Amino acid sequence: MASQIQPVPATAQAGHPPAAQKYYQRFDRIDRVMHAFLMFTFVGCAITGLPPLFSDQAWAASLARALGGFQSAALIHRICAGVMITVWSLHVVRLFVGAVRRTGFLAVVWGPNSMVPQPQDVIDLWRHFLWFVGKGPRPQFDRWTYWEKFDYWAVFWGMAIIGGSGLMLWFPAQFAAFLPGWMFNVATVVHGEEALLAVGFIFTIHFFNGHLRPEKFPMDLVIFTGRIPEHEMKDERPNEYRRLVSEGRLEAAEASPPTPWTKVFGYVVGGTAVTLGTLTVIMILYSVLA
């Protein structure tokens, strides 16, 4: 265990990458496209879902008019929901196909590339707490940190709950053929409350972890470019770096530097999402506290 907390020699001090910086592939093109669709549709569902949820607020009527009226807002909401459910389903299918063809099912549920929480995540959480209070060294992370896994599963199960209840409300006649009437009352409450919880989590915790931490502010571009600089990988994920070196796979993970337009795209799209998300949280807090 002691070998896991040995620092990786850095190629440069934090914040001062060398001129010829190496990059490594962290997310492939499908990952980035799926995240883009998920991001756009989540923001779309959040904004179009606010007017009916806070219909007693003056701003809700103004927002609905800006979206073309309640019927237009509902149409946009359902289009975004349909795309989001499709992306979620494709992600599950991709996991299954990848396990069958390449990694095996054990690698999906166990190991450094798995998103399933493991004992090391509990150890990292405790070490991170000790580091926060100045009682220990910073934990050495591998490919996924414990908070990234929390983000992933919060969205994964949130999608199942919100999507399932949303489909019941979208197609009531079809579901009423085999479900009792009280289930639709439950679905209405669950859909709204879980959506509020998801909006609050994604637009605060996820945005802070991904983009607003001091070492990431104002934007972490890795989800847009798919590439992580070598100095960031050594600093933030030293166990992954060491593992790739020991397995002889580091060179294969090397990628070309991101193009300027992908960086601009990331700043514009990511900045817009963070801005809309922050405004959404402000409107929700205003409505709840008013």
Side-chain angles (χ1 to χ4, degrees):
M1 196 65 73
S3 63
Q4 296 181 338
I5 60 175
Q6 295 302 314
V8 174
T11 55
Q13 294 183 351
H16 299 280
Q21 177 64 64
K22 288 184 178 179
Y23 285 82
Y24 298 101
Q25 195 76 36
R26 177 157 173 78
F27 298 110
D28 63 22
R29 183 168 299 178
I30 296 178
D31 290 331
R32 287 177 280 150
V33 170
M34 283 188 166
H35 181 271
F37 273 112
L38 193 62
M39 181 180 66
F40 285 127
T41 55
F42 185 84
V43 172
C45 281
I47 293 177
T48 54
L50 288 177
L53 204 56
F54 295 97
S55 56
D56 58 332
Q57 298 291 319
W59 61 261
S62 300
L63 179 58
R65 282 194 293 272
L67 294 169
F70 278 96
Q71 287 187 334
S72 296
L75 177 61
I76 297 171
H77 190 85
R78 287 169 178 168
I79 291 173
C80 290
V83 174
M84 191 185 300
I85 292 171
T86 301
V87 171
W88 182 83
S89 302
L90 289 175
H91 172 66
V92 175
V93 170
R94 192 182 182 215
L95 282 178
F96 182 82
V97 172
V100 171
R101 291 186 174 180
R102 296 184 293 107
T103 64
F105 287 98
L106 180 59
V108 176
V109 299
W110 191 260
N113 294 315
S114 172
M115 291 301 293
V116 177
Q118 298 169 31
Q120 184 61 44
D121 296 307
V122 179
I123 296 172
D124 288 341
L125 175 62
W126 174 244
R127 285 177 174 171
H128 218 180
F129 171 77
L130 294 178
W131 178 69
F132 279 134
V133 298
K135 298 296 183 183
R138 187 180 184 182
Q140 306 282 289
F141 297 109
D142 207 295
R143 178 166 176 76
W144 304 113
T145 65
Y146 66 85
W147 69 81
E148 289 169 337
K149 292 183 179 181
F150 190 87
D151 279 6
Y152 174 84
W153 286 104
V155 173
F156 190 93
W157 290 116
M159 282 287 301
I161 296 171
I162 298 173
S165 57
L167 287 174
M168 287 179 60
L169 301 176
W170 191 352
F171 302 103
Q174 289 76 10
F175 281 93
F178 58 92
L179 290 179
W182 61 267
M183 288 287 290
F184 293 88
N185 294 333
V186 173
T188 301
V189 174
V190 167
H191 191 72
E193 297 301 321
E194 179 66 20
L196 273 182
L197 180 63
V199 166
F201 179 83
I202 295 296
F203 291 163
T204 56
I205 305 297
H206 178 69
F207 277 180
F208 176 80
N209 286 336
H211 306 296
L212 303 179
R213 286 182 289 144
E215 61 269 34
K216 293 297 182 184
F217 186 84
M219 186 67 58
D220 186 355
L221 297 175
V222 67
I223 194 59
F224 302 105
T225 67
R227 297 157 171 82
I228 182 172
E230 184 177 54
H231 70 281
E232 285 190 16
M233 190 173 182
K234 286 183 174 180
D235 182 56
E236 300 175 2
R237 306 172 196 280
N239 282 352
E240 181 185 19
Y241 185 87
R242 276 190 289 261
R243 180 168 54 80
L244 291 177
V245 170
S246 65
E247 295 173 354
R249 298 194 295 123
L250 183 65
E251 187 175 350
E254 193 169 340
S256 59
T259 59
W261 80 267
T262 57
K263 290 184 176 180
V264 173
F265 176 81
Y267 278 117
V268 172
V269 173
T272 301
V274 171
T275 301
L276 290 175
T278 302
L279 290 175
T280 301
V281 171
I282 290 174
M283 286 191 291
I284 293 174
L285 290 177
Y286 171 79
S287 302
V288 172
L289 299 176

